[in-house]
């Protein structure tokens, strides 16, 4: 499934950049001819569709029936609500992420069918207050979530259904000893979050581990959980050490 | 020292709310008479000074010579640069936090003397991309940094110069065993960050611990590090257990 990004303003273009870097397939829907001209001039090679995303036919041509998600980031909140309503009507299973500008729009966007709403003003204001109240926490989060600093990354790792680590505990899996990452949370398949999990927490299929560590260490852990033949060996290795 | 908040727009009013909740002393400088009328009508009781923050005399009357920090969050980037320049000229030791709207303003604000620059658009766009790329990490960070969810908080704790825990290791301090918080990072007095510190990391005076845990557990740790008589007892207690 691909993503439909409605609006190529400042926020829309930032999202395109991150998606292209991953890479994640997407199409941009933009009605402003100046923006379209800018996009063509920039030469990123993004797939785009000129048109108004509040119109059923435009979203259908963008492939909304088979899309994985839609991101509504046009400038006007009214239009974001309208796009969300239209998109939800065309695809009930779509993940819809919308931007709220004004206060009070968040509720309207959620009522219109958005799964998640982000308000840049709210986040910006909160980040600025925190930069005074908890400056070291802000630095830490910026380093952990930003791409520039390679010493630290916060990532999520899904435990596959067939993983050999299932029914082991966080300690007996050897994850920390082998890779050095810290597991700061586990999201269970039910959606429940376990924070700061204890070492005897059991690993279950479809757990999402929230980990902190160096990108290379996280990459190693990601490969381990997908590797059928690694589990038994790793568990034995660290069990021996502990004895 | 107090803080001077220049601009009572959407971001400025959010910052005031967070500062008032802490509480942290501040004065708002605002030149727009409608905003001032709104502020008086809201009845928060915020201290404010009507006037233009780009003018030396207004900042002097706001107490800039003895202020701890200034936050420049007016709508125009040009004015934020001008306020930053003026403020830096009047107080070389002030912490200046400024908002960047347009791309490219960050560099100008830093050149003008800002210590930290936050761009709501950049943060908002990045948060939206991450909500698709790493949804569980975004949930985790929102829970850890938000005030609503009491299960988890990320906080920073300064080790006082006289603390009885100095020269202990993270393990021998008993911090984790006694309170259950995880120490995910340590900022040294030099500014160096140690991520994901090992249990034998030595505690030094003026370390800032970056911790994850329940608010009550963090509060307990915060009291422990400030308590002169607690250190010896706690260290003994957990040493005994380990034997
Ligand atoms: Ca990073
Ligand atoms: Ca929280």
């Amino acid at each position: 499934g691909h993503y439909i990004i409605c609006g190529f303003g400042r926020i829309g273009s930032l999202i395109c950049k991150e998606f292209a870097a991953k890479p994640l397939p997407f199409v941009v829907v933009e009605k402003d001819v100046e923006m379209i001209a800018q996009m063509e001039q920039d030469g990123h090679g993004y797939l785009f569709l000129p048109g108004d995303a509040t119109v059923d036919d435009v979203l259908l041509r963008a492939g909304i029936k088979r899309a994985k998600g839609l991101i509504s980031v046009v400038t006007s909140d009214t239009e974001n609500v309208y796009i969300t309503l239209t998109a939800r009507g065309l695809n009930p299973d779509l993940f819809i992420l919308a931007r709220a500008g004004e206060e009070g729009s968040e509720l309207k966007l959620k009522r219109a069918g958005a799964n998640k709403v982000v308000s840049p003003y709210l986040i910006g204001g909160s980040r600025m207050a925190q930069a005074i109240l908890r400056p070291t926490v802000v630095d830490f989060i910026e380093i952990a979530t930003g791409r520039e600093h390679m010493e630290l990354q916060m990532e999520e790792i899904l435990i596959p259904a067939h993983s050999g680590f299932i029914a082991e505990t966080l300690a007996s899996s050897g994850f920390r000893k082998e890779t050095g990452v810290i597991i700061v949370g586990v999201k269970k398949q039910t959606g429940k979050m376990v924070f700061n999990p204890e070492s005897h927490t059991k690993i279950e299929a479809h757990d999402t581990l929230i980990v902190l560590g160096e990108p290379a260490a996280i990459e190693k852990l990601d490969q381990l959980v997908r590797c059928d033949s690694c589990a038994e060996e790793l568990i034995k290795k660290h069990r021996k050490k502990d004895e």
Side-chain angles (χ1 to χ4, degrees), chain A:
Chain A
H2 66 295
Y3 288 88
I4 302 171
I5 300 175
C6 305
F8 194 71
R10 275 187 285 183
I11 294 209
S13 60
L14 268 164
I15 296 171
C16 291
K17 216 167 146 185
E18 300 254 5
F19 277 28
K22 181 80 181 175
L24 220 56
F26 66 91
V27 56
V28 182
V29 178
E30 174 59 62
K31 68 174 178 184
D32 185 331
V33 289
E34 278 181 40
M35 289 284 195
I36 294 169
Q38 184 63 50
M39 221 188 308
E40 287 181 320
Q41 204 187 308
D42 289 350
H44 302 296
Y46 298 158
L47 200 63
F48 75 94
L49 182 69
D52 181 345
T54 63
V55 176
D56 282 27
D57 187 50
V58 173
L59 290 183
L60 287 169
R61 278 191 288 135
I64 194 161
K65 293 281 192 190
R66 59 184 189 283
K68 198 162 176 192
L70 177 140
I71 298 152
S72 189
V73 281
V74 301
T75 316
S76 130
D77 278 10
T78 319
E79 273 183 65
N80 282 322
V81 169
Y82 208 92
I83 292 168
T84 301
L85 267 172
T86 310
R88 180 54 74 225
L90 293 168
N91 184 343
D93 302 321
L94 192 72
F95 184 86
I96 302 178
L97 172 65
R99 169 209 172 164
E102 304 294 324
E103 236 176 307
S105 298
E106 178 166 349
L107 196 62
K108 283 173 196 156
L109 286 160
K110 289 216 159 159
R111 273 197 210 128
N115 300 86
K116 185 158 178 80
V117 177
V118 170
S119 165
Y121 277 102
L122 223 60
I123 296 180
S126 163
R127 178 68 59 88
M128 293 190 86
Q130 297 306 324
I132 300 285
L133 298 170
R134 298 179 180 88
T136 313
V137 168
V138 166
D139 284 350
F140 186 85
I141 286 176
E142 288 180 352
I143 291 171
T145 58
R147 274 184 297 167
E148 317 81 66
H149 300 267
M150 295 303 286
E151 317 100 289
L152 185 70
Q153 202 59 29
M154 194 179 282
E155 217 12 293
E156 53 192 81
I157 291 180
L158 182 72
I159 303 291
H162 59 76
S163 170
F165 293 103
I166 289 167
E168 293 297 320
T169 66
L170 291 181
S172 71
S173 70
F175 288 166
R176 163 104 180 152
K177 283 174 188 159
E178 186 69 18
T179 67
V181 305
I182 331 185
I183 298 166
V184 292
V186 180
K187 188 177 187 178
K188 310 305 286 184
Q189 197 183 0
T190 59
K192 198 194 156 206
M193 280 262 210
V194 180
F195 301 112
N196 196 348
E198 306 219 38
S199 58
H200 61 258
T201 303
K202 278 249 179 333
I203 298 169
E204 297 178 315
H206 310 292
D207 277 356
T208 303
L209 309 181
I210 304 158
V211 302
L212 261 176
E214 286 181 21
I218 292 172
E219 181 59 35
K220 189 173 176 187
L221 179 56
D222 193 45
Q223 281 170 13
L224 275 177
V225 303
R226 294 160 190 268
C227 159
D228 285 340
S229 58
C230 301
E232 206 182 338
E233 204 182 322
L234 188 66
I235 295 161
K236 265 191 204 152
K237 176 176 163 191
H238 290 287
R239 192 180 293 149
K240 247 184 216 155
K241 269 195 195 164
D242 287 345
E243 275 164 7

